[in-house]
Amino acid sequence: MTARRAATGGLGVVLLAAAALHATPAAAAGGRHEVVTWAASADRVGDGTPDRGYRMVVHTSVGGSDLRIRLSNAFGDRPLTLDSSYAGVQKSGAELERGSNRRLTFGGAPTVTIPAGEVVVSDALPGSLPAATNLVVSLHTPDAAGPATGHGMATQTSYTTQGDHTGEESAAHWTDPTGSWFYLDAATVRTSAATGAVAALGDSITDGWQSTTDLNRRWPDYLARRLRQAATEVKGVANEGISGNKVLADGAGQSALNRLDRDVLSLPGVRTVFLFEGVNDIKAHTGVTAADMIAGYRRIIERAHTAGLCVVGATVGPFKGWSEWDTAAERVRQEVNAFIRGSGEFDAVTDFDRALRSPYDPERILPLFDNGDHLHPNDKGMQALADAIDLTALDCADGP
């Protein structure tokens, strides 16, 4: 990718055969590598519950083979034991496609204990996993207690149960719906070494707040659909948004600076960081200046470049009409956006402000894209964001 290039451009659930995750001969190792196909930012999600089962539905981006699941105890204060873990394909609700549910192992064992503050990755599950799969990961923990790690706002219905029913494909015991993911951190597949991924580092807009639940209409989902149809080598999308998140300060999750290594730089196959964050720092009125924000962006750029990744910067969208908006916050937003657009320090720029704003009042979201709170886009607005991205800007094959 050419450095400092500006990007100014403007679901059906695939029903898979039951054999989608069945064992097949492993692909030849040469010319292939691991790429993230799904991820969610780790955060604290209440306390762990003993003898609890979690059946979690996630939507993959890139297809491949040899699925691996990453599990996290990042916010735990004690070891976490998972004594039964399975991966299958959703049929409907908590029911799985017949014959698709297969046991995950860790170093060959069905049980794994994750130390406090750590993550583990499963053994590869032989077989292919197509793109755009509703993958279902079922976990059981016999004695969880203390802070639980997961992702609070999934915008996806998953299920819980008491007892170990992870190996069942029936939905009979999975009757308690939940809107969060627990302990599940990322999923990777093995695919062509030419294939890469983009990690979207952001806040509630990236996380999908106010997009339609269960339909995968967050802007990174729309981006993944575009990438599947495009002649680009970037196919994987990792959604690393946390509602309420800030660049500089912990609060709603660790700050973007503090979680960058774990949530982004550690993911396999990522070529580009797509940074769309800052409105929560600005609207909080904690004394954060444009200079503070710019310094934070520069630290993220520097660390990503050191890791060999490119960084696309997205301008901060309009939010006039939101309760915390005032002219002082608007001045900071405009200064921050001027830096993002004109500094040349990002490897590319996507103008989300331009994509969302009203031509009649550019400090406001276009009503067609406004979910009603004047900050978060609706489904149409989410698609407009994805459509504004120059896909070639994500293909950072030559490095920063």
Side-chain angles (χ1 to χ4, degrees):
M1 182 176 80
T2 302
R4 283 48 173 179
R5 178 175 52 201
T8 58
L11 174 73
V13 174
V14 178
L15 185 61
L16 303 169
L21 286 175
H22 284 183
T24 58
R32 297 176 72 80
H33 71 157
E34 285 190 42
V35 174
V36 61
T37 186
W38 173 87
S41 303
D43 199 2
R44 179 170 175 174
V45 285
D47 290 333
T49 303
D51 194 25
R52 194 69 169 163
Y54 303 93
R55 173 156 286 181
M56 293 163 290
V57 182
V58 303
H59 194 65
T60 66
S61 54
V62 62
S65 63
D66 301 320
L67 171 72
R68 291 181 187 267
I69 299 298
R70 190 167 87 173
L71 305 176
S72 178
N73 191 24
F75 292 87
D77 61 4
R78 66 201 73 190
L80 169 73
T81 296
L82 298 167
D83 59 0
S84 186
S85 306
Y86 279 76
V89 175
Q90 185 186 39
K91 181 177 181 180
S92 178
E95 184 181 3
L96 306 185
E97 289 282 0
R98 185 175 179 182
S100 71
N101 203 28
R102 299 174 59 206
R103 183 183 288 277
L104 295 167
T105 59
F106 302 83
T111 297
V112 64
T113 298
I114 312 172
E118 301 294 331
V119 300
V120 298
V121 179
S122 73
D123 301 327
L125 196 61
S128 63
L129 181 69
T133 297
N134 271 9
L135 176 69
V136 179
V137 177
S138 302
L139 308 173
H140 178 258
T141 175
D143 54 5
T149 300
H151 189 85
M153 195 185 78
T155 322
Q156 172 68 55
T157 303
S158 292
Y159 304 88
T160 65
T161 188
Q162 206 64 19
D164 182 6
H165 302 282
T166 52
E168 300 171 7
E169 292 175 334
S170 164
H173 289 100
W174 298 95
T175 56
D176 297 327
T178 177
S180 301
W181 293 306
F182 295 83
Y183 307 116
L184 181 61
D185 195 49
T188 68
V189 293
R190 196 164 181 81
T191 187
S192 165
T195 301
V198 56
L201 182 61
D203 49 40
S204 56
I205 299 177
T206 298
D207 209 5
W209 176 244
Q210 294 296 336
S211 65
T212 304
T213 298
D214 294 335
L215 292 185
N216 301 304
R217 290 181 176 173
R218 315 163 191 87
W219 74 258
D221 298 317
Y222 283 111
L223 174 62
R225 287 194 276 279
R226 286 191 66 203
L227 290 171
R228 282 197 294 274
Q229 302 300 320
T232 174
E233 292 178 341
V234 173
K235 299 295 183 184
V237 178
N239 186 334
E240 298 295 346
I242 297 180
S243 181
N245 199 232
K246 296 177 181 178
V247 174
L248 303 175
D250 293 347
Q254 292 178 316
S255 70
L257 284 165
N258 287 337
R259 65 190 181 89
L260 179 66
D261 287 352
R262 182 190 64 238
D263 286 354
V264 176
L265 303 185
S266 68
L267 296 173
V270 170
R271 290 185 186 172
T272 299
V273 182
F274 192 101
L275 177 60
F276 175 41
E277 192 155 3
V279 70
N280 291 314
D281 301 77
I282 294 169
K283 69 183 180 59
H285 296 292
T286 57
V288 169
T289 65
D292 296 329
M293 296 300 303
I294 290 167
Y297 291 145
R298 283 175 168 155
R299 288 167 62 192
I300 291 173
I301 294 168
E302 179 183 8
R303 288 164 59 189
H305 283 176
T306 298
L309 308 183
C310 290
V311 185
V312 176
T315 50
V316 178
F319 66 100
K320 187 177 182 180
W322 177 265
S323 61
E324 294 167 296
W325 184 92
D326 61 18
T327 56
E330 181 63 20
R331 283 194 298 271
V332 174
R333 186 180 77 91
Q334 295 292 349
E335 290 178 44
V336 166
N337 283 349
F339 166 79
I340 294 170
R341 291 187 183 105
S343 69
E345 297 190 36
F346 289 95
D347 299 288
V349 172
T350 296
D351 203 335
F352 276 178
D353 173 40
R354 182 183 297 274
L356 289 177
R357 70 193 185 200
S358 168
Y360 309 106
D361 185 352
E363 295 173 350
R364 291 183 180 270
I365 296 181
L366 185 72
L368 178 66
F369 296 152
D370 190 350
N371 83 82
D373 67 11
H374 312 303
L375 171 63
H376 298 92
N378 57 22
D379 289 355
K380 291 183 185 297
M382 292 288 184
Q383 185 168 9
L385 293 180
D387 288 346
I389 298 170
D390 177 1
L391 300 185
T392 64
L394 306 179
D395 194 359
C396 188
D398 298 328

